[in-house]
Amino acid sequence: MAQCLAFMLLFLISSLISTVGLPVKPPAELLQLGDVGGGGLLSVDASDLHEASRDFGGVARADPPAAVFQPRAAGDVAALLRAAHGSARGFRVSARGHGHSISGQSQAPGGVVVDMSHGPGAAARAEAPTRALPAYSAALGGHYVDVWGGDLWIDVLNWTLSHGGLAPRSWTDYLYLSVGGTLSNAGISGQAFHHGPQISNVYELDVVTGKGEVVTCSETENPELFFGALGGLGQFGIITRARIALERAPQRVRWIRALYSNFTEFTADQERLISLGAGVRRFDYLEGFVVAAEGLINNWRSSFFSPQNPVKLSSLKHHTGVLYCLEVTKNYDDDTAASVDQDVDALLGDLNFLPGTVFTTDLPYVDFLDRVHKAELKLRAKGMWEVPHPWLNLFVPASRIADFDRGVFRGILGGRTASAGGPILIYPMNKHKWDPRSSVVTPDEEVFYLVAFLRSALPGAPESLSTEALARQNQLILDFCAEAGIGAKQYLPNHKAQDDWIEHFGAARWERFARLKAEYDPRAILATGQGIFPPPGSPAVVSDL
């Protein structure tokens, strides 16, 4: 059966490979893929190939891969990458968690997509529990759990909660993302000002390099690969295991929103709240978003409000155009519930939001973390989830955020944020919570903002909200940032040429990035959908610096 499957793969690659610039004759080493051992499955099913050629962004178009590989363990991934690395000219290999990239980053036209959603975690869900239990380390000073790189964060959360009442410290807003996928970018949400991004909350990794070597790495063991892989966009290897920092999970959350019409007051309050140090009263989560008075909070976060918790606009009757919403939470347990009102009132008392615009709700901690998924289910039921998502995510230095507001929110968008096509997030983070040794690029200031345009091109929407129109608007925003010298950096970056990537990283960081690529993936077979390095068929990657 394995031999038959391998020949099917060779036939398929022969028919596809000429369209992507790879050798017409498929490498003989691909025969190994029919029997890599360990339970890995190689699929050439048309539905699997189609699924692997698309992503959540729905914008990037590419030919399908020649095959989809479903590993059960790190050894399976290693066998695949040894075959790719050892072949005559190499073939593309991309890891795919659950398909939530936005610009085709996980695509591998004519190559092999590694479907990481299959693995020890998947086996644990279907059969006997085989996941590693949370553990305590005196050396690390806390609890941790080892998880498969393809595990969903929601599954990690449910597992750690059910085994000790523990939870990861740092999150993304959406939990149906893979561990390896978010760690290859950064992983941010409203806890980042407090705990840092997810890449600042991982102790150890197993990474399968582009040479097919399984390398365990940490801050003290193979640190260059460890920090290179964190935020490394999948360029140096595939993360198969991560040791995640845990904390005791709170039971409930007080979830609060307040509105502003003055951008300077809005950002000043946000920055003051994230500056509060440990040991003082402070919020546990902080985000914000841009809204409009004529269409308040008409986006995926509107589930916060309900008939029992309505938005009353009487206090906003004199305000038109752009408004800004501060979103914060305070965690509590049964034994601290009596003091949560006092803590929240004291924190809110120092803020400059519009009077009468504070909205509050209480809910279980897990429900708060999983809030976006609940909105997803509603959108799926209406056919409004699997649509193109021409997103743009930027890190903007705090010193230029007011210029960004004038040029983009009030300029390019013209104050029409209610019809922007989706939520626009804006919240600050502290750079000292980000390890500078990671591969992530952030502005060179202590405080910088995430500004995320999370738009959707819905069927039947006006032409101004089409995929093409939103993409043009994204480019206008990027052009404005460049011409005004804003110093913004893309998060979940998408650049078209290597020169643009070099500019993104800067000379010194690019030198390190290229050197690590040459060391750990010299054939440049990994994550070619990022467009950073020449794909297989080009000369081997070398550092000339």
Side-chain angles (χ1 to χ4, degrees):
M1 180 65 182
Q3 187 79 353
C4 177
L5 189 59
F7 280 116
M8 289 172 62
L9 173 65
L10 291 176
F11 175 79
L12 184 58
I13 288 181
S14 297
S15 65
L16 290 176
I17 216 160
S18 62
T19 68
V20 294
L22 299 182
V24 174
K25 182 179 180 181
E29 291 84 350
L30 281 176
L31 287 169
Q32 299 178 36
L33 299 183
D35 186 17
V36 297
L41 174 66
L42 190 73
S43 173
V44 294
D45 184 88
S47 62
D48 289 338
L49 301 182
H50 173 72
E51 180 64 21
S53 68
R54 58 187 293 273
D55 63 14
F56 179 74
V59 176
R61 300 288 186 267
D63 290 326
V68 173
F69 186 57
Q70 300 168 352
R72 300 299 185 190
D76 300 339
V77 180
L80 167 66
L81 288 174
R82 283 195 298 271
H85 175 71
S87 64
R89 296 185 67 188
F91 55 89
R92 306 178 191 201
V93 178
S94 284
R96 186 178 192 270
H98 291 260
H100 284 95
S101 57
I102 56 176
S103 301
Q105 290 95 334
S106 65
Q107 294 171 349
V112 178
V113 168
V114 183
D115 180 358
M116 292 294 290
S117 66
H118 298 265
R125 289 192 297 271
E127 302 166 7
T130 57
R131 292 177 182 270
L133 290 171
Y136 178 81
S137 167
L140 296 175
H143 288 86
Y144 68 86
V145 67
D146 289 326
V147 298
W148 172 250
D151 280 349
L152 293 176
W153 284 102
I154 183 63
D155 292 330
V156 175
L157 173 62
N158 289 333
W159 178 254
T160 57
L161 281 174
S162 63
H163 292 82
L166 301 166
R169 294 191 297 223
S170 189
W171 294 100
T172 55
D173 286 335
Y174 181 61
L175 304 188
Y176 286 72
L177 304 172
S178 69
V179 170
T182 65
L183 294 182
S184 294
N185 288 280
I188 56 175
S189 184
Q191 301 87 3
F193 82 94
H194 187 183
H195 293 296
Q198 289 182 321
I199 58 172
S200 294
N201 293 275
V202 57
Y203 295 128
E204 187 175 279
L205 300 173
D206 282 345
V207 178
V208 182
T209 71
K211 295 184 287 189
E213 299 169 340
V214 182
V215 181
T216 298
C217 52
S218 66
E219 186 173 6
T220 58
E221 182 181 5
N222 300 306
E224 277 215 315
L225 180 58
F226 178 70
F227 290 110
L230 293 173
L233 305 174
Q235 290 300 308
F236 314 125
I238 295 176
I239 296 172
T240 55
R241 179 184 66 89
R243 178 163 290 180
I244 304 298
L246 303 176
E247 65 177 1
R248 187 68 56 189
Q251 293 173 315
R252 294 189 64 80
V253 167
R254 173 70 53 85
W255 186 9
I256 306 132
R257 287 175 172 171
L259 296 175
Y260 293 72
S261 61
N262 185 299
F263 186 74
T264 300
E265 292 179 345
F266 170 68
T267 54
D269 279 356
Q270 283 193 317
E271 291 181 32
R272 192 184 69 78
L273 288 173
I274 72 166
S275 72
L276 300 176
V280 301
R281 181 187 283 130
R282 63 178 176 178
F283 288 116
D284 297 294
Y285 160 102
L286 182 148
E287 289 194 10
F289 49 101
V290 185
V291 294
E294 72 273 15
L296 185 62
I297 314 177
N298 60 341
N299 56 55
W300 66 358
R301 293 163 175 257
S302 61
S303 58
F304 176 89
F305 301 101
S306 68
Q308 291 74 40
N309 189 27
V311 181
K312 299 185 185 301
L313 297 180
S314 58
S315 61
L316 304 177
K317 61 184 177 181
H318 300 300
H319 297 285
T320 59
V322 181
L323 292 172
Y324 310 93
C325 183
L326 174 69
E327 181 176 52
V328 290
T329 70
K330 186 66 180 172
N331 300 336
Y332 65 97
D333 301 311
D334 291 340
D335 58 351
T336 59
S339 63
V340 69
D341 289 341
Q342 180 181 352
D343 290 343
V344 168
D345 289 345
L347 285 164
L348 293 178
D350 293 329
L351 303 182
N352 294 298
F353 50 80
L354 292 168
T357 65
V358 175
F359 308 97
T360 302
T361 190
D362 286 69
L363 70 170
Y365 180 64
V366 174
D367 288 354
F368 171 73
L369 292 180
D370 201 30
R371 62 200 180 280
V372 175
H373 180 59
K374 298 182 189 311
E376 173 194 352
L377 296 178
K378 295 178 182 178
L379 292 174
R380 283 188 181 277
K382 299 176 181 178
M384 297 169 61
W385 183 257
E386 293 186 358
V387 297
H389 298 92
W391 287 6
L392 175 65
N393 297 270
L394 298 173
F395 289 148
V396 179
S399 66
R400 302 301 304 274
I401 196 66
D403 297 323
F404 190 93
D405 172 57
R406 287 188 291 270
V408 177
F409 300 146
R410 300 177 186 274
I412 293 172
L413 295 182
R416 297 182 300 276
T417 55
S419 57
I424 301 173
L425 307 189
I426 174 171
Y427 59 90
M429 291 169 280
N430 297 309
K431 191 178 179 75
H432 72 270
K433 297 290 186 177
W434 296 62
D435 196 305
R437 293 170 291 182
S438 79
S439 292
V440 179
V441 179
T442 61
D444 191 22
E445 291 187 9
E446 168 55 25
V447 176
F448 61 92
Y449 283 76
L450 171 74
V451 183
F453 299 86
L454 308 181
R455 283 94 72 84
S456 301
L458 299 176
E463 195 282 331
S464 61
L465 296 179
S466 68
T467 304
E468 295 75 18
L470 293 174
R472 287 194 298 270
Q473 194 174 79
N474 288 345
Q475 189 59 53
L476 287 175
I477 295 169
L478 291 171
D479 291 344
F480 164 77
C481 289
E483 293 165 5
I486 296 294
K489 294 293 184 180
Q490 285 192 39
Y491 175 57
L492 308 178
N494 176 34
H495 297 290
K496 303 302 183 185
Q498 192 173 80
D499 286 347
D500 296 328
W501 283 105
I502 294 173
E503 182 179 353
H504 170 79
F505 282 101
R509 294 179 69 90
W510 173 256
E511 185 277 333
R512 171 179 174 264
F513 201 80
R515 176 173 53 79
L516 291 176
K517 185 70 170 179
E519 180 175 356
Y520 292 108
D521 184 25
R523 304 296 301 279
I525 60 178
L526 286 169
T528 58
Q530 297 280 4
I532 304 176
F533 295 97
S538 302
V541 174
V542 295
S543 174
D544 58 358
L545 298 174

PDB file of all heavy atoms in Angstrom, residues 169-195:
ATOM      1  N   ARG A 169      -0.771  31.738  30.399  1.00  0.00           N
ATOM      2  CA  ARG A 169      -0.831  33.115  30.886  1.00  0.00           C
ATOM      3  C   ARG A 169      -1.219  34.108  29.809  1.00  0.00           C
ATOM      4  O   ARG A 169      -1.847  35.132  30.088  1.00  0.00           O
ATOM      5  CB  ARG A 169       0.540  33.524  31.460  1.00  0.00           C
ATOM      6  CG  ARG A 169       0.932  32.765  32.702  1.00  0.00           C
ATOM      7  CD  ARG A 169       2.144  33.363  33.387  1.00  0.00           C
ATOM      8  NE  ARG A 169       3.352  33.330  32.591  1.00  0.00           N
ATOM      9  CZ  ARG A 169       4.548  32.995  33.047  1.00  0.00           C
ATOM     10  NH1 ARG A 169       4.695  32.637  34.309  1.00  0.00           N
ATOM     11  NH2 ARG A 169       5.605  33.013  32.268  1.00  0.00           N
ATOM     12  N   SER A 170      -0.798  33.841  28.576  1.00  0.00           N
ATOM     13  CA  SER A 170      -0.987  34.813  27.497  1.00  0.00           C
ATOM     14  C   SER A 170      -1.800  34.179  26.383  1.00  0.00           C
ATOM     15  O   SER A 170      -1.652  32.982  26.089  1.00  0.00           O
ATOM     16  CB  SER A 170       0.381  35.275  26.968  1.00  0.00           C
ATOM     17  OG  SER A 170       0.240  36.360  26.080  1.00  0.00           O
ATOM     18  N   TRP A 171      -2.629  35.002  25.722  1.00  0.00           N
ATOM     19  CA  TRP A 171      -3.608  34.464  24.781  1.00  0.00           C
ATOM     20  C   TRP A 171      -3.622  35.240  23.473  1.00  0.00           C
ATOM     21  O   TRP A 171      -3.040  36.318  23.354  1.00  0.00           O
ATOM     22  CB  TRP A 171      -5.011  34.520  25.408  1.00  0.00           C
ATOM     23  CG  TRP A 171      -5.144  33.614  26.585  1.00  0.00           C
ATOM     24  CD1 TRP A 171      -5.086  33.957  27.907  1.00  0.00           C
ATOM     25  CD2 TRP A 171      -5.304  32.197  26.554  1.00  0.00           C
ATOM     26  NE1 TRP A 171      -5.223  32.841  28.693  1.00  0.00           N
ATOM     27  CE2 TRP A 171      -5.349  31.741  27.887  1.00  0.00           C
ATOM     28  CE3 TRP A 171      -5.412  31.256  25.518  1.00  0.00           C
ATOM     29  CZ2 TRP A 171      -5.508  30.400  28.234  1.00  0.00           C
ATOM     30  CZ3 TRP A 171      -5.573  29.923  25.856  1.00  0.00           C
ATOM     31  CH2 TRP A 171      -5.615  29.504  27.192  1.00  0.00           C
ATOM     32  N   THR A 172      -4.333  34.673  22.518  1.00  0.00           N
ATOM     33  CA  THR A 172      -4.837  35.418  21.374  1.00  0.00           C
ATOM     34  C   THR A 172      -6.341  35.594  21.587  1.00  0.00           C
ATOM     35  O   THR A 172      -6.941  34.888  22.403  1.00  0.00           O
ATOM     36  CB  THR A 172      -4.581  34.681  20.056  1.00  0.00           C
ATOM     37  OG1 THR A 172      -5.141  33.361  20.143  1.00  0.00           O
ATOM     38  CG2 THR A 172      -3.093  34.563  19.782  1.00  0.00           C
ATOM     39  N   ASP A 173      -6.957  36.526  20.859  1.00  0.00           N
ATOM     40  CA  ASP A 173      -8.396  36.733  21.035  1.00  0.00           C
ATOM     41  C   ASP A 173      -9.205  35.509  20.618  1.00  0.00           C
ATOM     42  O   ASP A 173     -10.309  35.286  21.122  1.00  0.00           O
ATOM     43  CB  ASP A 173      -8.865  37.937  20.215  1.00  0.00           C
ATOM     44  CG  ASP A 173      -8.431  39.257  20.835  1.00  0.00           C
ATOM     45  OD1 ASP A 173      -8.211  39.299  22.061  1.00  0.00           O
ATOM     46  OD2 ASP A 173      -8.320  40.250  20.097  1.00  0.00           O
ATOM     47  N   TYR A 174      -8.669  34.733  19.693  1.00  0.00           N
ATOM     48  CA  TYR A 174      -9.368  33.580  19.130  1.00  0.00           C
ATOM     49  C   TYR A 174      -8.572  32.336  19.498  1.00  0.00           C
ATOM     50  O   TYR A 174      -7.362  32.271  19.262  1.00  0.00           O
ATOM     51  CB  TYR A 174      -9.464  33.750  17.613  1.00  0.00           C
ATOM     52  CG  TYR A 174     -10.176  32.656  16.858  1.00  0.00           C
ATOM     53  CD1 TYR A 174     -11.506  32.366  17.103  1.00  0.00           C
ATOM     54  CD2 TYR A 174      -9.519  31.944  15.858  1.00  0.00           C
ATOM     55  CE1 TYR A 174     -12.167  31.382  16.393  1.00  0.00           C
ATOM     56  CE2 TYR A 174     -10.169  30.964  15.128  1.00  0.00           C
ATOM     57  CZ  TYR A 174     -11.495  30.673  15.402  1.00  0.00           C
ATOM     58  OH  TYR A 174     -12.146  29.696  14.687  1.00  0.00           O
ATOM     59  N   LEU A 175      -9.226  31.342  20.112  1.00  0.00           N
ATOM     60  CA  LEU A 175      -8.517  30.191  20.667  1.00  0.00           C
ATOM     61  C   LEU A 175      -8.421  29.003  19.719  1.00  0.00           C
ATOM     62  O   LEU A 175      -7.743  28.025  20.038  1.00  0.00           O
ATOM     63  CB  LEU A 175      -9.206  29.734  21.964  1.00  0.00           C
ATOM     64  CG  LEU A 175      -9.356  30.785  23.071  1.00  0.00           C
ATOM     65  CD1 LEU A 175      -9.863  30.125  24.341  1.00  0.00           C
ATOM     66  CD2 LEU A 175      -8.055  31.522  23.318  1.00  0.00           C
ATOM     67  N   TYR A 176      -9.083  29.095  18.547  1.00  0.00           N
ATOM     68  CA  TYR A 176      -9.044  27.969  17.616  1.00  0.00           C
ATOM     69  C   TYR A 176      -7.891  28.153  16.629  1.00  0.00           C
ATOM     70  O   TYR A 176      -8.045  28.043  15.416  1.00  0.00           O
ATOM     71  CB  TYR A 176     -10.397  27.809  16.925  1.00  0.00           C
ATOM     72  CG  TYR A 176     -11.431  27.222  17.862  1.00  0.00           C
ATOM     73  CD1 TYR A 176     -11.957  27.988  18.903  1.00  0.00           C
ATOM     74  CD2 TYR A 176     -11.845  25.908  17.755  1.00  0.00           C
ATOM     75  CE1 TYR A 176     -12.879  27.454  19.795  1.00  0.00           C
ATOM     76  CE2 TYR A 176     -12.772  25.367  18.635  1.00  0.00           C
ATOM     77  CZ  TYR A 176     -13.281  26.145  19.657  1.00  0.00           C
ATOM     78  OH  TYR A 176     -14.193  25.598  20.535  1.00  0.00           O
ATOM     79  N   LEU A 177      -6.733  28.445  17.189  1.00  0.00           N
ATOM     80  CA  LEU A 177      -5.476  28.584  16.467  1.00  0.00           C
ATOM     81  C   LEU A 177      -4.489  27.577  17.031  1.00  0.00           C
ATOM     82  O   LEU A 177      -4.585  27.181  18.193  1.00  0.00           O
ATOM     83  CB  LEU A 177      -4.909  30.000  16.629  1.00  0.00           C
ATOM     84  CG  LEU A 177      -5.804  31.166  16.219  1.00  0.00           C
ATOM     85  CD1 LEU A 177      -5.164  32.492  16.625  1.00  0.00           C
ATOM     86  CD2 LEU A 177      -6.056  31.142  14.719  1.00  0.00           C
ATOM     87  N   SER A 178      -3.518  27.166  16.223  1.00  0.00           N
ATOM     88  CA  SER A 178      -2.566  26.166  16.679  1.00  0.00           C
ATOM     89  C   SER A 178      -1.437  26.795  17.477  1.00  0.00           C
ATOM     90  O   SER A 178      -1.053  27.952  17.265  1.00  0.00           O
ATOM     91  CB  SER A 178      -1.985  25.389  15.489  1.00  0.00           C
ATOM     92  OG  SER A 178      -1.154  26.223  14.706  1.00  0.00           O
ATOM     93  N   VAL A 179      -0.898  26.024  18.393  1.00  0.00           N
ATOM     94  CA  VAL A 179       0.212  26.477  19.230  1.00  0.00           C
ATOM     95  C   VAL A 179       1.413  26.860  18.371  1.00  0.00           C
ATOM     96  O   VAL A 179       1.987  27.943  18.514  1.00  0.00           O
ATOM     97  CB  VAL A 179       0.590  25.384  20.243  1.00  0.00           C
ATOM     98  CG1 VAL A 179       1.890  25.727  20.962  1.00  0.00           C
ATOM     99  CG2 VAL A 179      -0.550  25.176  21.248  1.00  0.00           C
ATOM    100  N   GLY A 180       1.800  25.975  17.450  1.00  0.00           N
ATOM    101  CA  GLY A 180       2.947  26.272  16.598  1.00  0.00           C
ATOM    102  C   GLY A 180       2.725  27.473  15.709  1.00  0.00           C
ATOM    103  O   GLY A 180       3.661  28.238  15.431  1.00  0.00           O
ATOM    104  N   GLY A 181       1.484  27.668  15.268  1.00  0.00           N
ATOM    105  CA  GLY A 181       1.190  28.796  14.395  1.00  0.00           C
ATOM    106  C   GLY A 181       1.335  30.124  15.101  1.00  0.00           C
ATOM    107  O   GLY A 181       1.951  31.054  14.578  1.00  0.00           O
ATOM    108  N   THR A 182       0.782  30.245  16.321  1.00  0.00           N
ATOM    109  CA  THR A 182       0.884  31.530  17.009  1.00  0.00           C
ATOM    110  C   THR A 182       2.304  31.778  17.506  1.00  0.00           C
ATOM    111  O   THR A 182       2.782  32.911  17.482  1.00  0.00           O
ATOM    112  CB  THR A 182      -0.107  31.630  18.181  1.00  0.00           C
ATOM    113  OG1 THR A 182       0.210  30.678  19.183  1.00  0.00           O
ATOM    114  CG2 THR A 182      -1.528  31.431  17.702  1.00  0.00           C
ATOM    115  N   LEU A 183       3.012  30.726  17.929  1.00  0.00           N
ATOM    116  CA  LEU A 183       4.388  30.915  18.384  1.00  0.00           C
ATOM    117  C   LEU A 183       5.313  31.280  17.233  1.00  0.00           C
ATOM    118  O   LEU A 183       6.368  31.893  17.449  1.00  0.00           O
ATOM    119  CB  LEU A 183       4.903  29.663  19.089  1.00  0.00           C
ATOM    120  CG  LEU A 183       4.216  29.290  20.403  1.00  0.00           C
ATOM    121  CD1 LEU A 183       4.867  28.052  21.005  1.00  0.00           C
ATOM    122  CD2 LEU A 183       4.232  30.442  21.396  1.00  0.00           C
ATOM    123  N   SER A 184       4.943  30.934  16.017  1.00  0.00           N
ATOM    124  CA  SER A 184       5.748  31.314  14.855  1.00  0.00           C
ATOM    125  C   SER A 184       5.509  32.765  14.457  1.00  0.00           C
ATOM    126  O   SER A 184       6.207  33.279  13.577  1.00  0.00           O
ATOM    127  CB  SER A 184       5.424  30.393  13.669  1.00  0.00           C
ATOM    128  OG  SER A 184       5.825  29.062  13.950  1.00  0.00           O
ATOM    129  N   ASN A 185       4.540  33.412  15.097  1.00  0.00           N
ATOM    130  CA  ASN A 185       4.258  34.820  14.822  1.00  0.00           C
ATOM    131  C   ASN A 185       4.526  35.674  16.060  1.00  0.00           C
ATOM    132  O   ASN A 185       5.412  36.500  16.059  1.00  0.00           O
ATOM    133  CB  ASN A 185       2.824  34.984  14.332  1.00  0.00           C
ATOM    134  CG  ASN A 185       2.644  34.459  12.921  1.00  0.00           C
ATOM    135  OD1 ASN A 185       2.985  35.133  11.956  1.00  0.00           O
ATOM    136  ND2 ASN A 185       2.133  33.235  12.782  1.00  0.00           N
ATOM    137  N   ALA A 186       3.777  35.471  17.112  1.00  0.00           N
ATOM    138  CA  ALA A 186       3.997  36.136  18.403  1.00  0.00           C
ATOM    139  C   ALA A 186       2.912  35.705  19.366  1.00  0.00           C
ATOM    140  O   ALA A 186       3.179  35.254  20.467  1.00  0.00           O
ATOM    141  CB  ALA A 186       4.043  37.659  18.291  1.00  0.00           C
ATOM    142  N   GLY A 187       1.633  35.856  18.938  1.00  0.00           N
ATOM    143  CA  GLY A 187       0.520  35.500  19.796  1.00  0.00           C
ATOM    144  C   GLY A 187       0.199  36.606  20.772  1.00  0.00           C
ATOM    145  O   GLY A 187       0.793  36.688  21.847  1.00  0.00           O
ATOM    146  N   ILE A 188      -0.752  37.482  20.402  1.00  0.00           N
ATOM    147  CA  ILE A 188      -1.032  38.643  21.237  1.00  0.00           C
ATOM    148  C   ILE A 188      -2.523  38.790  21.504  1.00  0.00           C
ATOM    149  O   ILE A 188      -3.361  38.365  20.717  1.00  0.00           O
ATOM    150  CB  ILE A 188      -0.496  39.946  20.611  1.00  0.00           C
ATOM    151  CG1 ILE A 188      -1.052  40.149  19.203  1.00  0.00           C
ATOM    152  CG2 ILE A 188       1.012  39.958  20.617  1.00  0.00           C
ATOM    153  CD1 ILE A 188      -0.648  41.471  18.577  1.00  0.00           C
ATOM    154  N   SER A 189      -2.794  39.419  22.632  1.00  0.00           N
ATOM    155  CA  SER A 189      -4.153  39.770  23.019  1.00  0.00           C
ATOM    156  C   SER A 189      -4.039  40.801  24.126  1.00  0.00           C
ATOM    157  O   SER A 189      -2.967  41.377  24.346  1.00  0.00           O
ATOM    158  CB  SER A 189      -4.924  38.524  23.476  1.00  0.00           C
ATOM    159  OG  SER A 189      -6.272  38.828  23.777  1.00  0.00           O
ATOM    160  N   GLY A 190      -5.127  41.011  24.841  1.00  0.00           N
ATOM    161  CA  GLY A 190      -5.151  42.044  25.855  1.00  0.00           C
ATOM    162  C   GLY A 190      -4.325  41.753  27.082  1.00  0.00           C
ATOM    163  O   GLY A 190      -4.175  42.620  27.948  1.00  0.00           O
ATOM    164  N   GLN A 191      -3.765  40.535  27.208  1.00  0.00           N
ATOM    165  CA  GLN A 191      -2.876  40.225  28.322  1.00  0.00           C
ATOM    166  C   GLN A 191      -1.414  40.565  28.020  1.00  0.00           C
ATOM    167  O   GLN A 191      -0.551  40.456  28.895  1.00  0.00           O
ATOM    168  CB  GLN A 191      -2.960  38.732  28.690  1.00  0.00           C
ATOM    169  CG  GLN A 191      -4.327  38.237  29.098  1.00  0.00           C
ATOM    170  CD  GLN A 191      -5.160  37.802  27.895  1.00  0.00           C
ATOM    171  OE1 GLN A 191      -4.706  37.820  26.756  1.00  0.00           O
ATOM    172  NE2 GLN A 191      -6.401  37.419  28.151  1.00  0.00           N
ATOM    173  N   ALA A 192      -1.117  40.963  26.766  1.00  0.00           N
ATOM    174  CA  ALA A 192       0.279  41.150  26.366  1.00  0.00           C
ATOM    175  C   ALA A 192       0.970  42.262  27.148  1.00  0.00           C
ATOM    176  O   ALA A 192       2.172  42.200  27.395  1.00  0.00           O
ATOM    177  CB  ALA A 192       0.358  41.430  24.864  1.00  0.00           C
ATOM    178  N   PHE A 193       0.233  43.306  27.566  1.00  0.00           N
ATOM    179  CA  PHE A 193       0.862  44.373  28.339  1.00  0.00           C
ATOM    180  C   PHE A 193       1.334  43.851  29.699  1.00  0.00           C
ATOM    181  O   PHE A 193       2.260  44.391  30.304  1.00  0.00           O
ATOM    182  CB  PHE A 193      -0.115  45.540  28.539  1.00  0.00           C
ATOM    183  CG  PHE A 193      -1.094  45.340  29.665  1.00  0.00           C
ATOM    184  CD1 PHE A 193      -0.827  45.832  30.938  1.00  0.00           C
ATOM    185  CD2 PHE A 193      -2.280  44.654  29.466  1.00  0.00           C
ATOM    186  CE1 PHE A 193      -1.723  45.646  31.982  1.00  0.00           C
ATOM    187  CE2 PHE A 193      -3.184  44.469  30.495  1.00  0.00           C
ATOM    188  CZ  PHE A 193      -2.913  44.957  31.767  1.00  0.00           C
ATOM    189  N   HIS A 194       0.703  42.795  30.173  1.00  0.00           N
ATOM    190  CA  HIS A 194       0.962  42.243  31.501  1.00  0.00           C
ATOM    191  C   HIS A 194       1.985  41.117  31.451  1.00  0.00           C
ATOM    192  O   HIS A 194       3.020  41.162  32.125  1.00  0.00           O
ATOM    193  CB  HIS A 194      -0.368  41.755  32.085  1.00  0.00           C
ATOM    194  CG  HIS A 194      -0.295  41.312  33.515  1.00  0.00           C
ATOM    195  ND1 HIS A 194      -1.377  40.780  34.176  1.00  0.00           N
ATOM    196  CD2 HIS A 194       0.725  41.322  34.411  1.00  0.00           C
ATOM    197  CE1 HIS A 194      -1.018  40.483  35.418  1.00  0.00           C
ATOM    198  NE2 HIS A 194       0.242  40.798  35.578  1.00  0.00           N
ATOM    199  N   HIS A 195       1.709  40.108  30.624  1.00  0.00           N
ATOM    200  CA  HIS A 195       2.556  38.918  30.560  1.00  0.00           C
ATOM    201  C   HIS A 195       3.463  38.881  29.333  1.00  0.00           C
ATOM    202  O   HIS A 195       4.305  37.985  29.225  1.00  0.00           O
ATOM    203  CB  HIS A 195       1.684  37.658  30.536  1.00  0.00           C
ATOM    204  CG  HIS A 195       0.922  37.424  31.809  1.00  0.00           C
ATOM    205  ND1 HIS A 195       1.535  37.163  33.013  1.00  0.00           N
ATOM    206  CD2 HIS A 195      -0.414  37.415  32.073  1.00  0.00           C
ATOM    207  CE1 HIS A 195       0.624  36.997  33.954  1.00  0.00           C
ATOM    208  NE2 HIS A 195      -0.572  37.147  33.405  1.00  0.00           N
TER     209      HIS A 195
END
